Structures are given as structure tokens and as C-alpha cells.
Amino acid sequence: MCTAVVAFDPLSPFPVLLAGVRDEFADRPWLSPGPHWPDRPGLIGGRDLQAGGTWLAVDPGAPRVACVLNGHGRPAPPDGRISRGELPLRAAATGEIGDLDLTRVDPFHLVCAEPTVVRLCTWDGVELAERKLPPGLHMIVNTGLEGRGPRGEVHPDAAAQMAERIAHFRPLLEAAPRPEPRAGTAAEAWGAWLPLVEGGGLDRADRRALVLSRDFGDGRLWGTSSVSLVALAQSGVRYDFTAGPGDGNAWTTVLSSIERDGA
């Protein structure tokens, strides 16, 4: 996942709103969100078929959501490396990473949210930093919270593009009315957020693009494969998903346990 947007308002009936934009190589296989982990029957998320983990997981019973973004820093040794896709599963299930040996994990940013608290964990390959996010709107990209995290060997132009993305979309998201995702379609539930997380009208090749596409040659296509929208209330979760951002008919509601009592 390359961009996460978190709106946290403890006084709202929907304290946590999270938009997760996943960018990946087009030929990497995956499954749409579902209960894909028999050893973790309470979790729902998309399954990465290459490594078995996920980019975003939801525990509707908690309620809790967790998502992971690639970070920058010292990579884990190839021998014994563990997929970062394990992290959202652990965090969504327990709220913690647990006893995982992080020296075997490449750098990451992990968002873990509950209705009362939102935490961001950043691992640069050497040190784990954890912070609680205050109320407000937050954007996390591969260079960290608001693009100010560890950069390691990140190319300056890539860092500049992420900064341009934040500079373009942050004021638009802040100006948009805050959604209250109760019943209805994704468009009805998410209102002014939906067209923004679908790209906001920018071309996928634009440097500022949130929904993007890049051709690295030799058949290597990389870009936005899906967008997830998750709302947490004290009583449950609403989770909408699309593998076709820009196509309003491609949205599906994975679960909605707060449509009747989210007031």
C-alpha cells in the first residue's frame, strides 16, 4: 500500500475513517477481501497470494483496522525474511505486533486504529518508533507521516512526488465534509471523499496522482490495484472496497455492522 489517509475525531459517531490506496505490480496475484485465514477466523482483508498476508485487515468484533505501507531504511537479510503482510494480521487481531523478530522484516509503516486510539509504528530496519496520532487528518506515504519519516535510499524524485501528492490532496480532503458512513451505497456513505480517493480527476501519470500507473518497461506495470475505505464506530465497522477506482460500479460493501446504530 502506498498511501493511507486517516481522519480521527474521538467525538464523532465514526471516530476513525481510513482510506487505504494499494499500489503494486500488476502481475502480483491477490484475492478480494474476505475471511481468508482459518487460523484467524475473525479477520477480513484482501489476501496476497504471493506471500499469504495482506495489506489491510479488519477485525469487526474489536472493532479494529490495520494497514501496512512499505518504508525505507535497512532491508532485512534475504535469508529468513518475513513478509510485511503478516503485520496487519497481527495488529488487527490483537492491536500489537507481538513477538515478531523485526530484524527479519523490511522497513514499514503500520497503522493500527480503534475507535479510541490511532497508532503509527515505523520500522527503519534498525529502530521501531511508535506514536499515537492526535485528532485530525493524517496522510501516510512510503516516506512516513506527512512524508517526514525515514527515507533511507529513496530516490529524491520519488520523495518529491509523494510530497506533491500530499500537498495536492490534503487540502481537498480537509475541505471535504467529513463522511458519516451509515447505510447505502459507497457513494452515499462516503460522499465527497469517494471521488477524491478514486483519484480526484488527475491522470494516473500525474506526479501528484493518488491513483496512479507507471510502466517500468519489459512488461513491468505498477500502479494502484485497489482502494479500501473503512469506518470504525464503537458498535462496529463499515468496509467498502474497489479493484477499479474510477468506476463507480466497481465498489462493493465488504461489511457494514453500523448501518442501523451508527448515530
Side-chain angles (χ1 to χ4, degrees):
M1 184 176 293
C2 267
T3 305
V5 179
V6 181
F8 181 41
D9 180 0
L11 301 180
S12 168
F14 302 89
V16 173
L17 305 177
L18 185 147
V21 181
R22 185 190 186 215
D23 299 334
E24 187 51 86
F25 282 101
D27 60 354
R28 183 159 180 154
W30 54 277
L31 296 175
S32 294
H36 297 301
W37 299 273
D39 59 330
R40 294 171 168 121
L43 298 188
I44 297 175
R47 183 177 175 90
D48 173 44
L49 293 177
Q50 182 168 307
T54 188
W55 55 97
L56 182 149
V58 172
D59 181 348
R64 189 182 298 117
V65 61
C67 69
V68 69
L69 294 81
N70 294 353
H72 295 286
R74 179 187 296 176
D79 184 22
R81 177 180 286 143
I82 298 171
S83 168
R84 286 170 286 207
E86 170 71 10
L87 296 164
L89 296 174
R90 286 174 170 251
T94 67
E96 304 289 343
I97 295 173
D99 59 358
L100 190 67
D101 181 3
L102 291 182
T103 63
R104 300 174 61 192
V105 182
D106 284 339
F108 63 81
H109 307 288
L110 177 70
V111 179
C112 182
E114 302 173 28
T116 57
V117 63
V118 179
R119 290 176 291 121
L120 174 65
C121 295
T122 293
W123 168 249
D124 63 2
V126 178
E127 184 177 4
L128 180 68
E130 180 178 332
R131 71 179 82 184
K132 292 182 180 179
L133 299 186
L137 182 79
H138 307 278
M139 292 188 70
I140 303 103
V141 292
N142 299 130
T143 47
L145 181 64
E146 310 302 341
R148 303 190 190 110
R151 296 194 178 184
E153 300 299 319
V154 63
H155 193 283
D157 189 58
Q161 289 188 44
M162 284 182 267
E164 291 173 33
R165 182 187 311 158
I166 292 170
H168 178 76
F169 280 96
R170 165 175 274 287
L172 297 175
L173 287 160
E174 287 183 322
R178 195 178 194 276
E180 293 195 353
R182 295 184 173 88
T185 65
E188 292 167 337
W190 293 94
W193 268 40
L194 200 74
L196 293 174
V197 301
E198 287 193 310
L202 293 183
D203 188 271
R204 285 179 176 243
D206 195 295
R207 288 176 57 87
R208 303 164 295 172
L210 181 67
V211 174
L212 51 85
S213 180
R214 303 287 186 268
D215 187 344
F216 293 123
D218 299 325
R220 295 182 304 146
L221 299 177
W222 178 83
T224 302
S225 60
S226 67
V227 178
S228 302
L229 287 166
V230 179
L232 300 185
Q234 293 292 347
S235 58
V237 178
R238 172 153 183 153
Y239 180 5
D240 292 282
F241 177 84
T242 182
D247 178 358
N249 295 320
W251 283 94
T252 61
T253 299
V254 180
L255 64 94
S256 182
S257 58
I258 52 179
E259 57 184 329
R260 293 184 300 274
D261 57 357

